[in-house]
Amino acid sequence: MAESNDTGDRGAAENALSGSPTPRRADDPEARALRGGAESAAGSEGDGAPSPRLRTDFVRAQVEEDNRTGLYGGRVHTRFPPEPNGFLHIGHSKSICLNFGIAEEYGGACNLRFDDTNPETEDMAYVRAAEKDIRWLGFEWDGLFFASDYFEQLYDFAETLIRKGKAYVDSLTEEEIREHRGTVTEPGRPSPYRVRSVEENLDLFRRMRAGEYEDGAHVLRAKIDMASPNMIMRDPVLYRIRHASHYRTADEWCIYPLYDFTHCLSDALEDITHSVCTLEFENNRELYDWVLDEVGYTDPRPHQYEFNRLNLDYTVTSKRKLIPLVEEGRVSGWDDPRMSTLAAFRRRGVTPEAIRAFCDMIGVVKSDSREDLAKLEYAIRDDLNRKAPRVMGVLEPLRVVVTTFPDEETDWLDAPYYPRDVPLEGSRKVPFTREILIERSDFQEDPPKGWRRLAPGWEVRLRYGYVIECEEVVKDDSGRVVELRCSHDPGSRGGSAPDGRKIKGTIHWVSADHALPAEVRLYDRLFTEPDPQAGPEGTDLSDFVNPESLVVAAGARLEPSIAEDDPDTRYQFERLGYFWRDPVDSTADALVFNRIVTLRDTWAKRATQVPEPTAPTKRTEGGTAPRTEAGASRRPSPPTLGPEGQARFDRFRGELGVSHDDARGLAANPVLSRYLDEAVDAGAPAPAAARWLVNELLREAKDTPLESLPVSGVNVAELLSLVADGTLSVGIAREVFADMVGGGGRPFDIVERRGLRQISDDDALSPLIATVVDEHPDEVRRYREGKSALLGFFVGKVMRGSGGKANPERVRALLARALEEV
């Protein structure tokens, strides 16, 4: 499964068979050459907000180059090839958006092909689930294929290699094959069966197919080079015996091809042009080309390109590691909203638009990295903020009796669905009655300094309603507050005090008589550690399961306006977060709502707090998921910095406003901290400078000690000023930064020497845009017929024509106007 984050599972299994370690990515000079406009990825500022990103990436740049040279006659054909052995997950979404997106943008085609060569783990149910997930993301394939469709042709290709003396049947055991493989410093030893004749190999291979041998008795191996520095090329295994029924071919076959043999030939059989894989398959590219060359494929044939897989903090995508959590009942299933599967994100209420925006935000590059989960949460919030109506709900109700409001009377208040900064209209009626419910956490008998909610003798504004004042507190025998008795100001209807007095706080509420009962599930991150797989050998993944990843508010009450709404409606419960009805458990008589995402990143704040005692948790019936009662204290992640580092962290976060993760990365390194101070002293905005130091400087430095780099914080400040004033695009700025780190020099001098100034002038851009529009009449016609995704195609053409110097935002605006006027 080339594009998935499960390649580690599959790759580990197949490399164990061939005796090779999991392939490691070698340093690729092409990555530096393509950096800049081609390798632009979004950073984060504050609460995960993205910085501007050039749309072009190195894969699209390669497509552009192939179209320019006419390698495929202008044809673009990609594919998405998952293995149907489980649910698709968030890692797959990046590959889905890349492969289907490129096909859309360049007027090409994208196949959905299931790499189903492992009969012991695959099932048609996973095929159907994958189809559902891809369509949910908003894509449709041009052809549906299965590797099992090609079993006969793959077998014929294998015999072709045997006849050419390029493959042989090996009878070593799996362990012996591994021992003969050698190491990264020692060449391998040839198998004693490597000298078998073509006739003997053909006979053995045909008898393998006929089912004459037990599993493991023989394998078919390529005959390449046992001394190759690329261990993948040391006679890799191509076929193995598996007496197992296949979900599509039943018992027709008992030998099955391995991934490296199947994938390249499937690409060739489908006339794929650009085969995009994740970085762990970079070393496999040599074998990809070898197989196609040896069976007779010549250009134009598929070529493989590798991009960085999606590694997301606080997330695990390996099915092998998640299965125990499912089987042990720590989650309720593969669609549990805390899981990383697309089915889980869909059930939680995340929209496909948010997933696509996130994939666009993080970009496509050729270097491994980890993505901050805050970026995904930002994309989800940004999407929901623009479309979710606002309503009120109370998770842990506290009864309030408004003693001055007439009994049996209901005042129906007007309440808008959207705030002023959301360009949508609509309102609903909210009932106000003598008895209302407020959030228990919005009242304190002994309020701390700065408290802005309700307390004895204090006033507070009810959202859309009246100003009330707490006059009496009623407690039960145990001393717990069970009711508040308040008066209201009749002249404050709508929330304004008639005498102009200042009311410090506003809280949400619902009518006790009209509110709808509901169970509200507050989902949070499943793991407490950013990289739960990075623990020492023998660490159990369950050690890092967040015991508060699901908090259940079983007695919640919601305003009645939602009763007749479409079940698919996503809401912002004011002051609480974004929610929607659980599509599995919620019914008209028993509402269940899932929290999609909080209103802001709460983990950044918790990570700097002093740890509190762990709250007790309870298990659901059947032991299917850990839950914590609403209102229980939460345990924050404990700080890991020393006293000096913690002081730096506090200053970066508090005084300079640096994002949480960037502040931690800087605070842990005194040299980086000094660079940030220099940049800020030179006038750079701290959040932007921090982002460049953490993301760009560390990537460019590689293993070079930071203190020996020919760069300073003053250089960083100058570079950021060139981006801010429009002299440089973000992508070109990265190219300048690479030069700064590699050879030193002021950014301004590098820009002038290399002629890298961004083109933002309309008069200079208009001729480029006119030329691109004139040269592509068919694409213009399709764009005007509704294929709006082609705008990216035109932007890419203009950017390439300008050598990456054009201002992409200005190009996009001018193109949109020009395409409408054609």
Side-chain angles (χ1 to χ4, degrees), residues 730-753:
V730 174
I732 296 298
R734 287 191 172 92
E735 187 176 339
V736 174
F737 194 80
D739 275 10
M740 289 165 50
V741 176
R746 290 183 56 205
F748 183 84
D749 295 337
I750 296 172
V751 170
E752 292 301 305
R753 183 178 74 248

PDB file of all heavy atoms in Angstrom, residues 730-753:
ATOM      1  N   VAL A 730       6.592  32.895  -0.161  1.00  0.00           N
ATOM      2  CA  VAL A 730       7.047  31.997   0.895  1.00  0.00           C
ATOM      3  C   VAL A 730       7.924  30.895   0.316  1.00  0.00           C
ATOM      4  O   VAL A 730       8.949  30.516   0.896  1.00  0.00           O
ATOM      5  CB  VAL A 730       5.836  31.389   1.642  1.00  0.00           C
ATOM      6  CG1 VAL A 730       6.298  30.342   2.647  1.00  0.00           C
ATOM      7  CG2 VAL A 730       5.052  32.479   2.349  1.00  0.00           C
ATOM      8  N   GLY A 731       7.531  30.370  -0.835  1.00  0.00           N
ATOM      9  CA  GLY A 731       8.312  29.294  -1.441  1.00  0.00           C
ATOM     10  C   GLY A 731       9.713  29.740  -1.819  1.00  0.00           C
ATOM     11  O   GLY A 731      10.703  29.052  -1.537  1.00  0.00           O
ATOM     12  N   ILE A 732       9.841  30.903  -2.466  1.00  0.00           N
ATOM     13  CA  ILE A 732      11.163  31.400  -2.844  1.00  0.00           C
ATOM     14  C   ILE A 732      11.966  31.759  -1.600  1.00  0.00           C
ATOM     15  O   ILE A 732      13.184  31.595  -1.557  1.00  0.00           O
ATOM     16  CB  ILE A 732      11.027  32.623  -3.777  1.00  0.00           C
ATOM     17  CG1 ILE A 732      10.357  32.204  -5.099  1.00  0.00           C
ATOM     18  CG2 ILE A 732      12.387  33.225  -4.068  1.00  0.00           C
ATOM     19  CD1 ILE A 732      11.120  31.186  -5.899  1.00  0.00           C
ATOM     20  N   ALA A 733      11.279  32.244  -0.567  1.00  0.00           N
ATOM     21  CA  ALA A 733      11.983  32.556   0.676  1.00  0.00           C
ATOM     22  C   ALA A 733      12.660  31.318   1.245  1.00  0.00           C
ATOM     23  O   ALA A 733      13.755  31.403   1.814  1.00  0.00           O
ATOM     24  CB  ALA A 733      11.008  33.145   1.696  1.00  0.00           C
ATOM     25  N   ARG A 734      12.015  30.172   1.104  1.00  0.00           N
ATOM     26  CA  ARG A 734      12.652  28.936   1.590  1.00  0.00           C
ATOM     27  C   ARG A 734      13.920  28.630   0.796  1.00  0.00           C
ATOM     28  O   ARG A 734      14.905  28.126   1.335  1.00  0.00           O
ATOM     29  CB  ARG A 734      11.652  27.779   1.498  1.00  0.00           C
ATOM     30  CG  ARG A 734      10.560  27.845   2.546  1.00  0.00           C
ATOM     31  CD  ARG A 734       9.762  26.543   2.583  1.00  0.00           C
ATOM     32  NE  ARG A 734       8.858  26.557   3.724  1.00  0.00           N
ATOM     33  CZ  ARG A 734       7.604  26.981   3.684  1.00  0.00           C
ATOM     34  NH1 ARG A 734       7.107  27.415   2.548  1.00  0.00           N
ATOM     35  NH2 ARG A 734       6.850  26.971   4.769  1.00  0.00           N
ATOM     36  N   GLU A 735      13.895  28.924  -0.488  1.00  0.00           N
ATOM     37  CA  GLU A 735      15.083  28.709  -1.308  1.00  0.00           C
ATOM     38  C   GLU A 735      16.203  29.640  -0.855  1.00  0.00           C
ATOM     39  O   GLU A 735      17.370  29.229  -0.762  1.00  0.00           O
ATOM     40  CB  GLU A 735      14.732  28.957  -2.779  1.00  0.00           C
ATOM     41  CG  GLU A 735      15.832  28.610  -3.759  1.00  0.00           C
ATOM     42  CD  GLU A 735      15.383  28.778  -5.193  1.00  0.00           C
ATOM     43  OE1 GLU A 735      14.162  28.762  -5.440  1.00  0.00           O
ATOM     44  OE2 GLU A 735      16.266  28.924  -6.054  1.00  0.00           O
ATOM     45  N   VAL A 736      15.880  30.904  -0.589  1.00  0.00           N
ATOM     46  CA  VAL A 736      16.871  31.856  -0.085  1.00  0.00           C
ATOM     47  C   VAL A 736      17.404  31.392   1.269  1.00  0.00           C
ATOM     48  O   VAL A 736      18.607  31.462   1.538  1.00  0.00           O
ATOM     49  CB  VAL A 736      16.240  33.259   0.031  1.00  0.00           C
ATOM     50  CG1 VAL A 736      17.216  34.236   0.695  1.00  0.00           C
ATOM     51  CG2 VAL A 736      15.835  33.766  -1.343  1.00  0.00           C
ATOM     52  N   PHE A 737      16.504  30.893   2.119  1.00  0.00           N
ATOM     53  CA  PHE A 737      16.915  30.431   3.440  1.00  0.00           C
ATOM     54  C   PHE A 737      17.907  29.277   3.322  1.00  0.00           C
ATOM     55  O   PHE A 737      18.882  29.197   4.081  1.00  0.00           O
ATOM     56  CB  PHE A 737      15.685  30.014   4.236  1.00  0.00           C
ATOM     57  CG  PHE A 737      15.944  29.851   5.704  1.00  0.00           C
ATOM     58  CD1 PHE A 737      16.001  30.956   6.537  1.00  0.00           C
ATOM     59  CD2 PHE A 737      16.140  28.597   6.264  1.00  0.00           C
ATOM     60  CE1 PHE A 737      16.232  30.815   7.895  1.00  0.00           C
ATOM     61  CE2 PHE A 737      16.373  28.446   7.614  1.00  0.00           C
ATOM     62  CZ  PHE A 737      16.426  29.563   8.443  1.00  0.00           C
ATOM     63  N   ALA A 738      17.656  28.366   2.370  1.00  0.00           N
ATOM     64  CA  ALA A 738      18.585  27.252   2.161  1.00  0.00           C
ATOM     65  C   ALA A 738      19.962  27.766   1.775  1.00  0.00           C
ATOM     66  O   ALA A 738      20.993  27.245   2.232  1.00  0.00           O
ATOM     67  CB  ALA A 738      18.036  26.315   1.081  1.00  0.00           C
ATOM     68  N   ASP A 739      20.016  28.807   0.930  1.00  0.00           N
ATOM     69  CA  ASP A 739      21.298  29.406   0.575  1.00  0.00           C
ATOM     70  C   ASP A 739      21.962  30.051   1.779  1.00  0.00           C
ATOM     71  O   ASP A 739      23.186  29.955   1.965  1.00  0.00           O
ATOM     72  CB  ASP A 739      21.090  30.463  -0.518  1.00  0.00           C
ATOM     73  CG  ASP A 739      21.084  29.866  -1.911  1.00  0.00           C
ATOM     74  OD1 ASP A 739      21.045  28.622  -2.001  1.00  0.00           O
ATOM     75  OD2 ASP A 739      21.099  30.623  -2.894  1.00  0.00           O
ATOM     76  N   MET A 740      21.189  30.726   2.605  1.00  0.00           N
ATOM     77  CA  MET A 740      21.729  31.365   3.803  1.00  0.00           C
ATOM     78  C   MET A 740      22.386  30.345   4.709  1.00  0.00           C
ATOM     79  O   MET A 740      23.512  30.548   5.200  1.00  0.00           O
ATOM     80  CB  MET A 740      20.613  32.079   4.564  1.00  0.00           C
ATOM     81  CG  MET A 740      20.076  33.333   3.914  1.00  0.00           C
ATOM     82  SD  MET A 740      18.502  33.849   4.656  1.00  0.00           S
ATOM     83  CE  MET A 740      18.878  33.822   6.415  1.00  0.00           C
ATOM     84  N   VAL A 741      21.692  29.248   4.947  1.00  0.00           N
ATOM     85  CA  VAL A 741      22.220  28.231   5.855  1.00  0.00           C
ATOM     86  C   VAL A 741      23.411  27.519   5.240  1.00  0.00           C
ATOM     87  O   VAL A 741      24.383  27.184   5.920  1.00  0.00           O
ATOM     88  CB  VAL A 741      21.108  27.223   6.213  1.00  0.00           C
ATOM     89  CG1 VAL A 741      21.665  26.093   7.072  1.00  0.00           C
ATOM     90  CG2 VAL A 741      19.972  27.927   6.939  1.00  0.00           C
ATOM     91  N   GLY A 742      23.348  27.295   3.924  1.00  0.00           N
ATOM     92  CA  GLY A 742      24.424  26.547   3.267  1.00  0.00           C
ATOM     93  C   GLY A 742      25.688  27.347   3.050  1.00  0.00           C
ATOM     94  O   GLY A 742      26.799  26.816   3.151  1.00  0.00           O
ATOM     95  N   GLY A 743      25.551  28.645   2.735  1.00  0.00           N
ATOM     96  CA  GLY A 743      26.735  29.416   2.381  1.00  0.00           C
ATOM     97  C   GLY A 743      26.847  30.776   3.029  1.00  0.00           C
ATOM     98  O   GLY A 743      27.819  31.505   2.784  1.00  0.00           O
ATOM     99  N   GLY A 744      25.861  31.162   3.820  1.00  0.00           N
ATOM    100  CA  GLY A 744      25.908  32.451   4.475  1.00  0.00           C
ATOM    101  C   GLY A 744      25.458  33.571   3.550  1.00  0.00           C
ATOM    102  O   GLY A 744      25.088  33.357   2.394  1.00  0.00           O
ATOM    103  N   GLY A 745      25.479  34.788   4.066  1.00  0.00           N
ATOM    104  CA  GLY A 745      25.108  35.951   3.288  1.00  0.00           C
ATOM    105  C   GLY A 745      23.779  36.540   3.711  1.00  0.00           C
ATOM    106  O   GLY A 745      22.930  35.858   4.277  1.00  0.00           O
ATOM    107  N   ARG A 746      23.612  37.834   3.399  1.00  0.00           N
ATOM    108  CA  ARG A 746      22.365  38.506   3.708  1.00  0.00           C
ATOM    109  C   ARG A 746      21.277  38.090   2.722  1.00  0.00           C
ATOM    110  O   ARG A 746      21.538  37.932   1.523  1.00  0.00           O
ATOM    111  CB  ARG A 746      22.551  40.017   3.641  1.00  0.00           C
ATOM    112  CG  ARG A 746      23.396  40.619   4.731  1.00  0.00           C
ATOM    113  CD  ARG A 746      23.427  42.133   4.561  1.00  0.00           C
ATOM    114  NE  ARG A 746      22.071  42.678   4.553  1.00  0.00           N
ATOM    115  CZ  ARG A 746      21.751  43.830   3.965  1.00  0.00           C
ATOM    116  NH1 ARG A 746      22.674  44.528   3.327  1.00  0.00           N
ATOM    117  NH2 ARG A 746      20.512  44.269   4.021  1.00  0.00           N
ATOM    118  N   PRO A 747      20.058  37.925   3.187  1.00  0.00           N
ATOM    119  CA  PRO A 747      18.965  37.558   2.273  1.00  0.00           C
ATOM    120  C   PRO A 747      18.816  38.528   1.110  1.00  0.00           C
ATOM    121  O   PRO A 747      18.622  38.106  -0.037  1.00  0.00           O
ATOM    122  CB  PRO A 747      17.734  37.564   3.177  1.00  0.00           C
ATOM    123  CG  PRO A 747      18.256  37.366   4.550  1.00  0.00           C
ATOM    124  CD  PRO A 747      19.601  37.998   4.584  1.00  0.00           C
ATOM    125  N   PHE A 748      18.912  39.833   1.394  1.00  0.00           N
ATOM    126  CA  PHE A 748      18.744  40.826   0.332  1.00  0.00           C
ATOM    127  C   PHE A 748      19.780  40.623  -0.769  1.00  0.00           C
ATOM    128  O   PHE A 748      19.469  40.694  -1.967  1.00  0.00           O
ATOM    129  CB  PHE A 748      18.855  42.236   0.925  1.00  0.00           C
ATOM    130  CG  PHE A 748      18.620  43.324  -0.083  1.00  0.00           C
ATOM    131  CD1 PHE A 748      17.331  43.735  -0.408  1.00  0.00           C
ATOM    132  CD2 PHE A 748      19.688  43.931  -0.720  1.00  0.00           C
ATOM    133  CE1 PHE A 748      17.117  44.730  -1.347  1.00  0.00           C
ATOM    134  CE2 PHE A 748      19.489  44.927  -1.660  1.00  0.00           C
ATOM    135  CZ  PHE A 748      18.199  45.333  -1.980  1.00  0.00           C
ATOM    136  N   ASP A 749      21.030  40.355  -0.374  1.00  0.00           N
ATOM    137  CA  ASP A 749      22.097  40.158  -1.373  1.00  0.00           C
ATOM    138  C   ASP A 749      21.837  38.905  -2.205  1.00  0.00           C
ATOM    139  O   ASP A 749      22.082  38.896  -3.419  1.00  0.00           O
ATOM    140  CB  ASP A 749      23.456  40.048  -0.672  1.00  0.00           C
ATOM    141  CG  ASP A 749      23.852  41.353   0.026  1.00  0.00           C
ATOM    142  OD1 ASP A 749      23.333  42.412  -0.379  1.00  0.00           O
ATOM    143  OD2 ASP A 749      24.665  41.284   0.976  1.00  0.00           O
ATOM    144  N   ILE A 750      21.365  37.836  -1.565  1.00  0.00           N
ATOM    145  CA  ILE A 750      21.076  36.588  -2.297  1.00  0.00           C
ATOM    146  C   ILE A 750      19.953  36.822  -3.300  1.00  0.00           C
ATOM    147  O   ILE A 750      20.014  36.370  -4.448  1.00  0.00           O
ATOM    148  CB  ILE A 750      20.703  35.468  -1.314  1.00  0.00           C
ATOM    149  CG1 ILE A 750      21.886  35.131  -0.400  1.00  0.00           C
ATOM    150  CG2 ILE A 750      20.233  34.217  -2.067  1.00  0.00           C
ATOM    151  CD1 ILE A 750      21.547  34.175   0.732  1.00  0.00           C
ATOM    152  N   VAL A 751      18.934  37.542  -2.874  1.00  0.00           N
ATOM    153  CA  VAL A 751      17.802  37.825  -3.763  1.00  0.00           C
ATOM    154  C   VAL A 751      18.262  38.615  -4.981  1.00  0.00           C
ATOM    155  O   VAL A 751      17.904  38.312  -6.122  1.00  0.00           O
ATOM    156  CB  VAL A 751      16.708  38.597  -2.994  1.00  0.00           C
ATOM    157  CG1 VAL A 751      15.635  39.110  -3.945  1.00  0.00           C
ATOM    158  CG2 VAL A 751      16.076  37.703  -1.936  1.00  0.00           C
ATOM    159  N   GLU A 752      19.087  39.665  -4.756  1.00  0.00           N
ATOM    160  CA  GLU A 752      19.544  40.495  -5.861  1.00  0.00           C
ATOM    161  C   GLU A 752      20.467  39.712  -6.790  1.00  0.00           C
ATOM    162  O   GLU A 752      20.376  39.821  -8.012  1.00  0.00           O
ATOM    163  CB  GLU A 752      20.272  41.728  -5.311  1.00  0.00           C
ATOM    164  CG  GLU A 752      19.361  42.710  -4.580  1.00  0.00           C
ATOM    165  CD  GLU A 752      18.258  43.221  -5.482  1.00  0.00           C
ATOM    166  OE1 GLU A 752      18.551  43.748  -6.566  1.00  0.00           O
ATOM    167  OE2 GLU A 752      17.077  43.065  -5.103  1.00  0.00           O
ATOM    168  N   ARG A 753      21.368  38.920  -6.210  1.00  0.00           N
ATOM    169  CA  ARG A 753      22.321  38.156  -7.021  1.00  0.00           C
ATOM    170  C   ARG A 753      21.621  37.132  -7.908  1.00  0.00           C
ATOM    171  O   ARG A 753      21.996  36.932  -9.061  1.00  0.00           O
ATOM    172  CB  ARG A 753      23.320  37.451  -6.095  1.00  0.00           C
ATOM    173  CG  ARG A 753      24.416  36.684  -6.859  1.00  0.00           C
ATOM    174  CD  ARG A 753      25.417  36.051  -5.923  1.00  0.00           C
ATOM    175  NE  ARG A 753      24.879  34.883  -5.241  1.00  0.00           N
ATOM    176  CZ  ARG A 753      24.628  34.823  -3.953  1.00  0.00           C
ATOM    177  NH1 ARG A 753      24.854  35.866  -3.181  1.00  0.00           N
ATOM    178  NH2 ARG A 753      24.140  33.713  -3.410  1.00  0.00           N
TER     179      ARG A 753
END
